Amino acid sequence: MMGRTIFIDPGRCIGCQACVSACRECDSHRGKSMIHLDYTEPGMSVASLPTVCMHCEDPVAPCAEVCPADAILVTADGVVQQADTTRCIGCSNCVNACPFGVPKIDLQAKLQLKCNLCYDRTAYGLAPMCATVCPTGALFYGTLEELQAERPGVQVADSFVFGDVVVSTGVAMVVPAEKVQWPVPGGLPVVEINGVDVR
Amino acid sequence: MTATEPARGASGPGPVPVSLDPSIAPPGTRNFRDAGGIPADRWHADQNGETLVPTHCCFCGVQCGMYLRVDKGGKVFGVEPRNHDINRMRLCPKGINAYQQVNHPDRLTAPLMRRSRDEEFREASWDEALDFTVSEIRRIQDRYGKDAFGLLGGASLFSEKTYLVGKFARVALQTKHVDYNGRLCMVSAAGANKLAFGIDRAGNPFSDILLSDCLLIAGSNVGECFPVMTQYLWGARDRGASLIVIDPRETAIARTADIHVALKPGTDAAFFNAVLHVVVAEGLADEAYLAAHATGWDEVKETVAGYPPARAAEICGVPAGQIVQVARVFAGADRAMAWHARGIEHHSQGVENCLTVINLCVATGHIGKPGAGYGTITGQGNGQGGREHGQKSDLLPGGRSITNPEHRRQICEIWGIEESELPGAGTSMMEMVWQMQRGEIRGLIGICNNPFVSLPNYAVVKEGYDTAEFHAQFDFFLSETAANAHVVFPVTTWAEDEGVMANAEARVVKHNKAQEPPAGVRTDTWVMCELARRLGAGRHFDFPGSREVFEELRIASAGTVNDYYGITYDRLEETGGIAWPCPATDHPGTPRLFEDGRTYHPDGKIHLQVVEWHPPMDPYTEEYPLSLTTGRTVAHFLSGNQTRRLGALVEQTPRPWVEVHPSHGFRNGDPVRVVTRRGSEVFPALVTEAIRPDTVFIPYHWPVPTAANALTIDALDPRSKIPEYKVCAARIEAAERIDEVPEPPTAPGHRAYPETQVSRTDPLPPTAPQGRGTAERS
């Protein structure tokens, strides 16, 4: 399965936005945060969920695939980089293609911005800034074995379904054990696609 | 300069090689340690000359380790996580953004002065401001007596400075009126711990949480107030520990708890008595432990017999079955711990609430063992250390009592004064304000506090301060309280001086200096020593810096329960923190108390105390049927004087709100007037099912006209004198418009922080505050 990557555990998220502040401090896009923090059931619950770039593997990075300027590099270790500023034309194709809603466009600069897994840190064996500071471990950086050693029995999913498209990702999400076999949108099992039982 | 050399002007150990948390970088990974420290190219150190100075966060009682990033010009410009024992790299948003206040444009850089409150502030020279202050102190004390001048300190100060506050009041001002804002924080827990155990601190280190099988969190919104502690809670849960949360709101921690008891504010004592009732009734008490180690058990047993679950369920507004469940889970666990915070301490029976929790831990034998015990989570960075060395109205250094003749003699000997010169016990912070209102205290110096936002019943506080003939304030931003003063002394931030703080575990940690203060700024130590010199007490205040003060503090604490004698700056730098008592320089410190079954009472026993529940001080009526409770939000710290100036934190939570249950018929963002017997204010509604229908909640970090503390009651616990912030009677009604959030005050010629580009009239924050429901996005 995946090597060192980010694991997202929404069950642990306390919505504190430490990841958002930390992302802003990362040197690769200092001053801007590339993390989304969503509140999933406003008015009903305090549940929240951080979203980083999922670093899609299959199909390989839809954002990179649709980029007309070939500005989005996918590294050998599967990290989908933020658009190369010398190539990006700010067309927003990547924004439209991303199934997770991750890339942003700086409209004034006409440049794309997105999480690049803190390449400035991970290249030196450090965890990305968000996963380093996350006070609860809702964002964990490491291998699946390291995660499971720390959290016995934890199960993760790295494929998600959007309509009839299944996307496998480099970043994984912690899900309840009984739901891990199927691709999950946001942690829920998919039982049917276009009327076909996919279990 | 290389990356491992100390930053310019830094004292202490300077930067140290970073070791990575093994959980995120296992052996074999290329990391800082493999590279022999911070790799030279990691932050382009060759070009930038960046250094990392190890220190701790300035905010809450967790005291996370962090590095401050310092540029080659010697200026703090960023933060880097630090693998300290306490936080293992983790930081919350306040910690990540804290560095931004060090070189913030709102910093005060010259003393501000005015001769009357009718005048505008003008910048003055240090000599002029100090001389004016001294002449006012003399005038007031000559005319009205020594005790007509008061001093209010703060629990965000280093322990050295809190020691100096106490000494300055008693020796230089010779007044009995000294107290501190920790009085608003955890003195109820302190009082309860001293009554039961004879020692005023948590019984266990945070790391014991990981060893526990059952965690009971009472009145503590851990996820927002102490976010980094959640990693310990989740760590325990990974091992299968159960989590019980007692809170009227469904907080982020309560959401995932095994049992969430959403009890009515102000009913904690009844609840815990009922839990103990079940423990006794079901034979779950550890009678052998009680017989050997505790006194007062029979009386407690008799009292809790009067609290059957059915009765408590009615008082607390929770199902009786939950009470039984809590008793069985807590008592039945092999090792259980209870942690509490302001939710049960901010009450007119705050001490008693804490005592009922202690009674439960002791009765079930969950005390003095790895993974079993109790703790209180301090709100301020030095909430623990801030009261240990004589800043509190009734305490002398080392936690000695100011009314105990032997203790007085010991301190007078160390200070070199006659016992007749040492004043007696003064009054608490809120009582001092009442005395100002009555004209009994005519002058006041405030250091590191902001009572205009943080004290209850704002109208009374304002009147008290307005009545005072002279008021000086030490601060690095112009707080709402400083804006009322005659003199404001610009002092250093935590990054510009060195000193120690004791965190919620009573672990003493050292903060290091990362940069020189801006021109015109002095340390609090310098200002106090200079005032003392001008008052004629200079020989008692010959302290060039924190290091010298700490040496005297160590000696002054030697032989007491709060023994710091064995703690030195060098040892703190080597170890990353030492828990007191630490009586000798080869003593390892005491992370866990009572392992030998003995407490700090002369008989070595735990003194269990009988507690009867009584209702909150503000009675409910038809006119005021709801409970108003207050608390924090994750983005802001206390009175907000610091965090309301930091762009990212303002963006995260730009304004307060009132949390109401959907049953009241409001929609998100509706203007809702909250009325109590002290006044009324209008907030946007945050409609959520995560709060009891009979309770409303307002976060308290803002000043009037959006101040929760304009509405709260200034009733005090008779023992700890802590105000009853967490419950008062209120009603809510529809309003026409929402009160605007005021900008923080700034000094003449200063400007608001340019990154704070948030509309302060937004009906609700752009993202949901603290993870709760927000306005419809349309």
Side-chain angles (χ1 to χ4, degrees):
Chain A
M1 210 181 164
M2 66 282 292
R4 295 177 76 72
T5 188
I6 289 180
F7 295 87
I8 303 171
D9 186 348
R12 294 184 179 230
C13 182
I14 54 173
C16 74
Q17 301 206 27
C19 52
V20 176
S21 275
C23 185
R24 210 190 54 244
E25 294 296 318
C26 171
D27 277 352
S28 63
H29 40 247
R30 193 142 196 219
K32 290 187 193 297
S33 174
M34 299 294 120
I35 288 192
H36 307 257
L37 194 82
D38 291 315
Y39 301 95
T40 54
E41 301 172 295
M44 302 286 285
S45 160
V46 293
S48 52
L49 164 71
T51 304
V52 297
C53 172
M54 301 299 283
H55 298 282
C56 301
E57 290 178 341
D58 179 22
V60 171
C63 59
E65 283 192 355
V66 300
C67 178
D70 259 355
I72 301 174
L73 167 77
V74 182
T75 63
D77 50 353
V79 174
V80 182
Q81 295 283 10
Q82 141 180 339
D84 180 344
T85 51
T86 63
R87 283 175 162 258
C88 177
I89 55 173
C91 69
S92 297
N93 262 9
C94 52
V95 175
N96 297 327
C98 176
F100 299 98
V102 169
K104 298 174 178 178
I105 294 288
D106 179 333
L107 288 174
Q108 279 186 324
K110 291 194 174 168
L111 289 175
Q112 180 245 36
L113 294 164
K114 70 174 270 301
C115 156
N116 57 4
L117 208 70
C118 273
Y119 218 60
D120 60 320
R121 303 176 70 84
T122 49
Y124 288 96
L126 284 172
M129 197 72 162
C130 58
T132 305
V133 302
C134 177
T136 66
L139 293 168
F140 176 94
Y141 180 75
T143 62
L144 180 61
E145 293 70 31
E146 287 163 12
L147 178 77
Q148 287 175 332
E150 200 176 281
R151 305 176 193 175
V154 72
Q155 297 291 316
V156 305
D158 63 352
S159 51
F160 302 82
V161 65
F162 299 91
D164 55 358
V165 177
V166 176
V167 178
S168 294
T169 55
V171 165
M173 190 164 284
V174 172
V175 293
E178 73 274 15
K179 292 175 180 172
V180 77
Q181 293 93 328
W182 307 293
V184 291
L188 294 173
V190 174
V191 294
E192 186 181 284
I193 295 174
N194 292 342
V196 179
D197 191 330
V198 295
R199 284 174 291 182
Chain B
M1 187 164 19
T2 68
T4 48
E5 281 174 1
R8 183 192 300 176
S11 51
V16 295
V18 182
S19 58
L20 284 179
D21 183 339
S23 68
I24 55 174
T29 310
R30 182 179 174 196
N31 63 24
F32 282 173
R33 189 186 286 152
D34 298 339
I38 307 295
D41 51 348
R42 161 65 183 83
W43 283 292
H44 314 292
D46 290 341
Q47 295 95 343
N48 296 334
E50 177 187 338
T51 54
L52 299 180
V53 176
T55 189
H56 292 262
C57 179
C58 56
F59 293 128
C60 83
V62 178
Q63 284 294 285
C64 296
M66 57 162 63
Y67 289 101
L68 287 175
R69 299 175 68 179
V70 180
D71 67 19
K72 67 177 175 187
K75 292 281 182 203
V76 169
F77 76 100
V79 65
E80 178 65 25
R82 176 179 169 201
N83 190 20
H84 190 276
D85 269 1
I86 295 171
N87 58 311
R88 313 282 288 170
M89 304 281 230
R90 320 294 195 207
L91 290 171
C92 82
K94 287 189 288 288
I96 293 165
N97 289 290
Y99 78 89
Q100 292 171 19
Q101 55 183 331
V102 181
N103 295 306
H104 194 288
D106 282 1
R107 280 290 297 274
L108 301 174
T109 51
L112 300 177
M113 211 183 111
R114 58 183 171 185
R115 300 221 167 234
S116 92
R117 289 193 183 88
D118 304 330
E119 297 172 17
E120 292 292 310
F121 275 125
R122 63 181 172 82
E123 292 196 348
S125 72
W126 273 95
D127 271 335
E128 194 186 359
L130 289 164
D131 285 341
F132 177 55
T133 304
V134 167
S135 72
E136 285 295 284
I137 294 170
R138 286 219 170 101
R139 180 182 69 77
I140 287 169
Q141 290 196 321
D142 288 349
R143 185 157 176 203
Y144 305 106
K146 296 281 188 195
D147 291 337
F149 207 91
L151 188 60
L152 281 175
S156 295
L157 291 166
F158 294 149
S159 292
E160 294 84 346
K161 295 176 183 183
T162 67
Y163 172 84
L164 265 191
V165 168
K167 185 174 178 181
F168 179 77
R170 274 83 178 236
V171 178
L173 294 176
Q174 295 178 322
T175 177
K176 67 178 181 182
H177 286 309
V178 55
D179 206 43
Y180 76 129
N181 65 8
R183 181 70 71 180
L184 320 176
C185 180
M186 56 170 288
V187 282
S188 289
N193 295 344
K194 269 188 108 166
L195 279 169
F197 303 110
I199 185 170
D200 159 17
R201 55 157 277 198
N204 299 63
F206 289 148
S207 54
D208 268 9
I209 294 174
L210 295 168
L211 307 173
S212 184
D213 300 309
C214 173
L215 292 156
L216 187 149
I217 308 288
S220 178
N221 182 2
V222 176
E224 295 202 60
C225 305
F226 322 101
V228 170
M229 247 187 93
T230 49
Q231 65 171 317
Y232 289 100
L233 298 183
W234 290 169
R237 303 214 75 196
D238 288 336
R239 283 186 46 259
S242 42
L243 178 64
I244 303 168
V245 175
I246 320 291
D247 199 309
R249 302 161 68 212
E250 189 199 82
T251 60
I253 295 297
R255 180 173 76 86
T256 56
D258 297 288
I259 309 172
H260 170 210
V261 184
L263 85 186
K264 190 169 178 169
T267 62
D268 308 86
F271 173 78
F272 283 106
N273 273 351
V275 172
L276 198 49
H277 174 102
V278 178
V279 168
V280 174
E282 301 199 348
L284 301 169
D286 189 340
E287 296 287 352
Y289 184 87
L290 286 159
H293 299 292
T295 64
W297 173 233
D298 288 340
E299 292 81 358
V300 169
K301 229 173 4 181
E302 208 174 294
T303 311
V304 299
Y307 291 84
R311 180 188 169 209
E314 206 169 296
I315 295 171
C316 306
V318 297
Q322 259 193 342
I323 297 171
V324 177
Q325 231 182 349
V326 170
R328 287 178 185 164
V329 172
F330 190 83
D334 280 346
R335 293 169 293 185
M337 285 185 94
W339 287 85
H340 50 79
R342 308 303 84 74
I344 70 164
E345 295 161 16
H346 273 165
H347 288 281
S348 57
Q349 66 169 158
V351 175
E352 292 171 314
N353 286 343
C354 299
L355 285 168
T356 56
V357 176
I358 291 171
N359 287 351
L360 176 63
C361 289
V362 175
T364 49
H366 292 314
I367 196 90
K369 290 181 282 193
Y374 72 97
T376 180
I377 317 163
T378 47
Q380 297 190 67
N382 205 17
Q384 176 67 48
R387 67 175 178 277
E388 291 166 358
H389 299 292
Q391 188 183 202
K392 208 172 159 195
S393 61
D394 55 345
L395 291 185
L396 288 170
R400 293 179 178 89
S401 166
I402 202 162
T403 51
N404 180 319
E406 178 59 15
H407 292 179
R408 290 170 64 86
R409 192 189 58 72
Q410 289 166 349
I411 284 301
C412 288
E413 210 165 279
I414 293 163
W415 284 351
I417 58 170
E418 293 298 319
E419 207 214 301
S420 56
E421 295 175 76
L422 188 67
T427 51
S428 73
M429 189 162 175
M430 192 68 220
E431 289 170 312
M432 280 173 69
V433 172
W434 294 338
Q435 284 173 288
M436 282 157 67
Q437 209 187 1
R438 294 196 298 263
E440 292 165 19
I441 293 178
R442 300 276 180 155
L444 185 89
I445 296 179
I447 304 176
C448 180
N449 55 43
N450 189 12
F452 275 44
V453 180
S454 61
L455 274 177
N457 202 348
Y458 169 76
V460 166
V461 178
K462 174 88 167 74
E463 195 187 324
Y465 273 79
D466 282 348
T467 309
E469 293 174 19
F470 176 76
H471 169 208
Q473 197 77 19
F474 293 27
D475 216 322
F476 52 84
F477 292 134
L478 191 69
S479 69
E480 285 75 12
T481 308
N484 170 276
H486 294 87
V487 175
V488 185
F489 293 112
V491 289
T492 44
T493 63
W494 94 111
E496 293 151 356
D497 200 1
E498 61 178 346
V500 304
M501 291 202 189
N503 80 344
E505 310 160 290
R507 182 205 299 245
V508 180
V509 296
K510 178 154 184 287
H511 290 240
N512 292 312
K513 182 173 170 177
Q515 76 166 40
E516 286 298 327
V521 170
R522 305 277 193 274
T523 65
D524 313 74
T525 306
W526 184 90
V527 186
M528 275 189 274
C529 293
E530 193 56 30
L531 282 172
R533 193 177 68 76
R534 288 167 197 244
L535 285 164
R539 71 191 175 90
H540 300 292
F541 291 87
D542 184 19
F543 298 111
S546 296
R547 215 165 260 269
E548 292 75 13
V549 182
F550 188 70
E551 288 307 307
E552 188 175 300
L553 182 157
R554 283 178 61 215
I555 295 163
S557 74
T560 65
V561 173
N562 303 48
D563 200 332
Y564 273 46
Y565 185 74
I567 301 174
T568 64
Y569 275 12
D570 289 344
R571 287 191 73 196
L572 291 177
E573 277 151 14
E574 282 161 22
T575 57
I578 298 172
W580 64 265
C582 178
T585 48
D586 58 355
H587 189 284
T590 316
R592 188 180 302 112
L593 300 177
F594 325 127
E595 289 194 273
D596 57 359
R598 286 189 63 79
T599 67
Y600 290 78
H601 284 305
D603 62 1
K605 297 277 176 83
I606 299 163
H607 294 185
L608 297 178
Q609 309 284 324
V610 167
V611 173
E612 291 280 5
W613 172 76
H614 65 71
M617 296 302 277
D618 209 20
Y620 301 113
T621 56
E622 266 183 36
E623 200 183 350
Y624 299 104
L626 302 175
S627 299
L628 166 64
T629 191
T630 66
R632 300 196 202 186
T633 166
V634 69
H636 291 294
F637 183 65
L638 304 187
S639 77
N641 184 37
Q642 300 172 63
T643 51
R644 279 187 281 115
R645 297 171 195 270
L646 305 183
L649 299 178
V650 176
E651 273 172 37
Q652 189 171 334
T653 311
R655 62 164 305 135
W657 62 88
V658 58
E659 222 161 284
V660 295
H661 192 269
S663 59
H664 295 288
F666 291 105
R667 288 181 319 161
N668 267 328
D670 282 353
V672 173
R673 179 177 301 283
V674 183
V675 190
T676 72
R677 295 187 173 93
R678 269 71 51 201
S680 76
E681 286 176 332
V682 180
F683 302 88
L686 197 157
V687 180
T688 175
E689 290 180 359
I691 191 164
R692 291 176 60 91
D694 60 7
T695 302
V696 293
F697 169 89
I698 305 171
Y700 65 67
H701 312 283
W702 287 266
V704 282
T706 55
N709 283 328
L711 309 174
T712 50
I713 184 172
D714 50 344
L716 305 182
D717 180 292
R719 281 191 277 208
S720 68
K721 309 291 170 109
I722 206 169
E724 187 155 62
Y725 290 108
K726 287 294 181 279
V727 55
C728 66
R731 72 165 182 271
I732 54 174
E733 54 199 32
E736 289 195 349
R737 56 183 293 281
I738 294 168
D739 289 340
E740 290 202 0
V741 179
E743 292 281 346
T746 52
H750 286 231
R751 62 206 166 89
Y753 191 46
E755 285 182 27
T756 308
Q757 294 167 341
V758 175
S759 161
R760 288 172 183 274
T761 52
D762 285 349
L764 270 184
T767 50
Q770 50 160 8
R772 295 178 161 261
T774 183
E776 283 89 7
R777 303 218 173 194
S778 54

